[in-house]
Amino acid sequence: MNGHLYKCLNNANRRKILYCIGKEEKCVNEIAECLDLEQSLTSHHLKDLYDCGLIEKKRKGKRIYYKVSEPEIIEILEKGKELGDRLEKRC
Amino acid sequence: MNGHLYKCLNNANRRKILYCIGKEEKCVNEIAECLDLEQSLTSHHLKDLYDCGLIEKKRKGKRIYYKVSEPEIIEILEKGKELGDRLEKRC
DNA sequence: CACTTGTATAAATGACCGTTCATATGAATA
DNA sequence: TATTCATATGAACGGTCATTTATACAAGTG
């Protein structure tokens, strides 16, 4: 899923993960619990996000911590959300 | 495809259409020719974009003219492109 | 009204995506 | 080293998407 930014963003769970680790790094289980997702599914999405370059990872002992790789990613998400909301009202 | 902004943006042809009618309105055949797409496929994508609120339409005689419904849509596209390029280099 | 032009729509198909389940790997600890 | 905890991976599935083909509709023109 390399270089497919929009593909990565086109999934609510992946977007939630980005918001979840936008300000603070978290390990896989924390993320999974935070979003009420299965560990396996969380790992799959994290891989997609990582391959796309949207997140970074760092191992600490058994755990692997992920965080969003640059702040503008969250800004774009927020702009996208605002735009989406605005467009919906238009109808 | 109502309210699915990212789904709409997650397709190169639809993004090209947005760029194509970002500054000036064009009719379906002009868009199709401009992007070298079949008329039918162009219409399908235009419907998706329209249902999402990303574009507006206006009939003039036989032809129907489409244009992007607000400038920020193109801005977001450009920000997305910049981010995507930046993330690719990172790898 | 018949015809032409411009656009939309419906069905079909192959490809891709998200999720789940089962299993593997990797690191720490007893 | 055997076990446990944390995470990753692979296969399989049902669903969705993009595209093509064929056809319908809508508006102007002869």
Side-chain angles (χ1 to χ4, degrees):
Chain A
M1 191 170 297
N2 225 302
H4 298 92
L5 175 64
Y6 294 107
K7 177 155 45 172
C8 244
L9 297 184
N10 181 29
N11 175 272
N13 283 331
R14 283 194 293 266
R15 289 195 300 275
K16 284 181 198 165
I17 289 177
L18 288 176
Y19 280 119
C20 174
I21 56 177
K23 294 191 174 170
E24 38 170 1
E25 62 180 22
K26 288 191 183 129
C27 72
V28 178
N29 276 326
E30 285 171 331
I31 298 167
E33 194 170 353
C34 181
L35 305 188
D36 196 34
L37 297 180
E38 302 244 338
Q39 175 269 316
S40 168
L41 181 55
T42 307
S43 275
H44 278 298
H45 284 318
L46 287 169
K47 177 176 187 345
D48 294 339
L49 292 164
Y50 182 77
D51 289 348
C52 195
L54 285 163
I55 61 178
E56 296 170 347
K57 64 174 156 184
K58 185 199 318 180
R59 180 179 280 277
K60 290 185 188 175
K62 286 191 273 195
R63 303 174 196 235
I64 300 183
Y65 286 81
Y66 287 90
K67 70 170 181 202
V68 168
S69 54
E70 54 172 287
E72 191 176 357
I73 292 164
I74 302 297
E75 288 172 31
I76 288 189
L77 270 180
E78 278 165 355
K79 289 231 175 239
K81 169 136 185 42
E82 286 168 25
L83 176 60
D85 292 347
R86 218 180 315 141
L87 295 178
E88 288 211 19
K89 277 184 203 148
R90 194 184 280 267
C91 316
Chain B
M1 189 172 296
N2 227 303
H4 297 93
L5 176 63
Y6 294 107
K7 176 154 47 171
C8 244
L9 296 185
N10 181 29
N11 175 273
N13 283 331
R14 283 194 292 267
R15 290 195 299 274
K16 285 181 197 164
I17 289 177
L18 288 176
Y19 279 119
C20 174
I21 55 177
K23 294 192 173 168
E24 37 170 1
E25 63 180 21
K26 289 192 183 128
C27 71
V28 179
N29 277 325
E30 285 172 331
I31 299 167
E33 195 170 353
C34 181
L35 305 188
D36 196 33
L37 297 180
E38 302 245 338
Q39 175 269 314
S40 168
L41 180 55
T42 306
S43 274
H44 277 300
H45 285 318
L46 286 169
K47 179 177 185 346
D48 294 338
L49 292 165
Y50 182 77
D51 288 348
C52 196
L54 286 163
I55 61 177
E56 296 170 347
K57 65 176 157 182
K58 186 200 315 181
R59 180 180 279 277
K60 289 185 186 175
K62 287 192 272 195
R63 304 173 194 233
I64 301 183
Y65 286 82
Y66 287 91
K67 70 171 182 199
V68 167
S69 55
E70 54 172 288
E72 191 176 358
I73 292 164
I74 301 295
E75 288 173 30
I76 288 189
L77 270 180
E78 278 164 356
K79 288 230 178 241
K81 170 138 186 40
E82 285 167 27
L83 175 61
D85 292 347
R86 219 180 314 144
L87 295 178
E88 288 212 21
K89 278 184 204 148
R90 193 183 280 266
C91 316

